[in-house]
Amino acid sequence: MKSFLFFIFYMLSSLNCYSQYDINTPNTIDDKWRLRFYLSHSYTTYYNTDIKFSSSRYNVTIKNYQWLERGSREFFHYAKWAEQGNNPTQIIDEPSNTFVLSIERNNHEFFLSVFHPKFLQNPEQIAYMKGTIDGIEVDGVYNINRPFDGYNQFPGEMELVRNENTHREMLFEIGYDYRFKLLDAKIGNITYVPSIGVGLSCGKNLVVVVKEDEWWEFDNYKQKSEVQGFGGSITNRIEFNTEKERFGIFYENKLSYYKQNHGFIDGNQKYNLKLIGNSVGVKFMI
């Protein structure tokens, strides 16, 4: 509930920041439709969340479960492309990039956004959990994945080695924004663009766990591509555009909130995905 209220407060704050827009500014009618393409890279922060695992082995709720970003920014460097098995096109797929196609008329803009987040479990976290693991009741603070020396495992331990949402992980959103021109000059203009969008999250979850009653054997579970959840985003963007807006650069701040429910081993995992992305990018008039 606190997360939802925070989301609403953030939206209202975004709207308020331009509510004092000069009402005496003359309105000009422009009936021309404009098609734009945006691309950017995001530095993303994922917030802790309560998570519930349900499967034949795990039926447990964990408080303040931690996700980490996998930015994959090494793929922006030539040295990474040159490695065997890699190629320059991975600059599109590997980092956390966003691609947006929009259509605008008289400052009213509608868009389709595709964001490629990559988040995975913090393997070193210690958290409170309650439920059963391999039929053993747990209620307390435990390691999610206790450092392993070969012979120190006990029944009821989590031993969740990996829980990753990176492969084909996407947030697809449709939304609306309004363009406020803050400063106009011969060389270009500065424009503020607040927006709101709703959409679906999709991806292929990967889980790796130590096999029950084993020390050195692991089970790998790769889920099929699936719709993982639904939610929305609030975005604030500042653009610098050339005189006729054929080209521009921008900074963008995005707050997203998604209700997630997707595969985990032979069951599912439920949690709230909360993230803030700070992006820099370029835009083109098509």
Side-chain angles (χ1 to χ4, degrees):
M1 184 63 182
K2 290 182 179 178
S3 300
F4 179 74
L5 292 175
F6 174 67
F7 187 78
I8 296 298
F9 174 78
Y10 187 91
M11 179 180 67
L12 293 175
S13 298
S14 300
L15 294 174
N16 183 64
C17 70
Y18 61 83
S19 63
Q20 301 303 316
Y21 187 71
D22 188 357
I23 60 175
N24 294 319
T25 300
N27 293 320
T28 58
I29 302 301
D30 185 355
D31 290 331
K32 184 178 179 180
W33 287 100
R34 295 177 175 86
L35 190 65
R36 296 186 177 93
F37 179 66
Y38 300 78
L39 56 101
S40 62
H41 175 71
S42 176
Y43 293 80
T44 313
T45 299
Y46 297 91
Y47 290 94
N48 295 358
T49 181
D50 294 349
I51 189 168
K52 180 175 177 57
F53 295 111
S54 301
S55 72
S56 57
R57 291 188 59 189
Y58 299 89
N59 284 283
V60 64
T61 298
I62 300 176
K63 297 292 185 180
N64 291 314
Y65 185 80
Q66 299 172 19
W67 295 111
L68 298 178
E69 178 199 37
R70 197 184 90 183
S72 299
R73 296 179 187 95
E74 64 273 16
F75 284 92
F76 289 125
H77 301 287
Y78 171 78
K80 190 66 176 179
W81 304 348
E83 292 180 5
Q84 186 175 3
N86 292 342
N87 62 78
T89 62
Q90 289 176 290
I91 194 174
I92 298 173
D93 173 64
E94 290 294 340
S96 291
N97 295 327
T98 302
F99 304 93
V100 178
L101 186 65
S102 74
I103 185 169
E104 176 258 334
R105 182 183 181 186
N106 199 31
N107 295 321
H108 296 278
E109 192 168 27
F110 302 90
F111 63 85
L112 170 65
S113 170
V114 180
F115 174 46
H116 185 25
K118 291 189 172 185
F119 54 101
L120 61 162
Q121 165 187 285
N122 179 356
E124 300 178 354
Q125 62 184 298
I126 299 174
Y128 174 79
M129 61 183 71
K130 183 175 182 179
T132 61
I133 298 174
D134 295 330
I136 307 297
E137 289 192 9
V138 294
D139 186 359
V141 178
Y142 303 93
N143 286 87
I144 301 295
N145 178 33
R146 188 155 66 97
F148 179 57
D149 66 8
Y151 306 97
N152 64 344
Q153 288 177 305
F154 299 94
E157 288 191 322
M158 190 77 184
E159 297 298 353
L160 180 56
V161 181
R162 297 168 67 184
N163 183 23
E164 301 180 358
N165 290 288
T166 60
H167 187 48
R168 298 185 183 179
E169 192 70 25
M170 297 289 182
L171 300 186
F172 296 97
E173 294 185 351
I174 56 173
Y176 167 80
D177 64 53
Y178 190 85
R179 304 179 60 81
F180 293 88
K181 190 172 291 187
L182 304 180
L183 182 64
D184 201 0
K186 289 184 178 180
I187 62 171
N189 65 71
I190 295 176
T191 302
Y192 168 59
V193 188
S195 68
I196 186 168
V198 294
L200 299 173
S201 63
C202 305
K204 296 182 67 173
N205 178 256
L206 169 66
V207 166
V208 178
V209 296
V210 177
K211 288 185 177 181
E212 187 176 2
D213 299 324
E214 295 289 345
W215 287 337
W216 297 99
E217 299 292 329
F218 300 86
D219 279 327
N220 293 265
Y221 298 91
K222 295 181 179 180
Q223 303 293 331
K224 296 180 180 179
S225 293
E226 61 178 326
V227 175
Q228 295 181 334
F230 65 93
S233 301
I234 295 170
T235 302
N236 291 282
R237 184 170 71 245
I238 292 289
E239 303 175 357
F240 172 76
N241 302 295
T242 55
E243 182 181 3
K244 294 184 179 180
E245 298 195 13
R246 299 294 183 185
F247 174 78
I249 58 176
F250 64 87
Y251 162 77
E252 183 176 272
N253 176 266
K254 173 188 287 188
L255 171 67
S256 298
Y257 183 93
Y258 274 75
K259 300 288 290 186
Q260 299 283 92
N261 182 358
H262 60 82
F264 174 78
I265 307 181
D266 55 0
N268 69 336
Q269 53 184 306
K270 297 180 181 180
Y271 57 94
N272 297 325
L273 177 62
K274 298 169 285 185
L275 65 89
I276 282 186
N278 291 286
S279 305
V280 289
V282 295
K283 52 171 287 198
F284 303 93
M285 186 89 74
I286 301 176

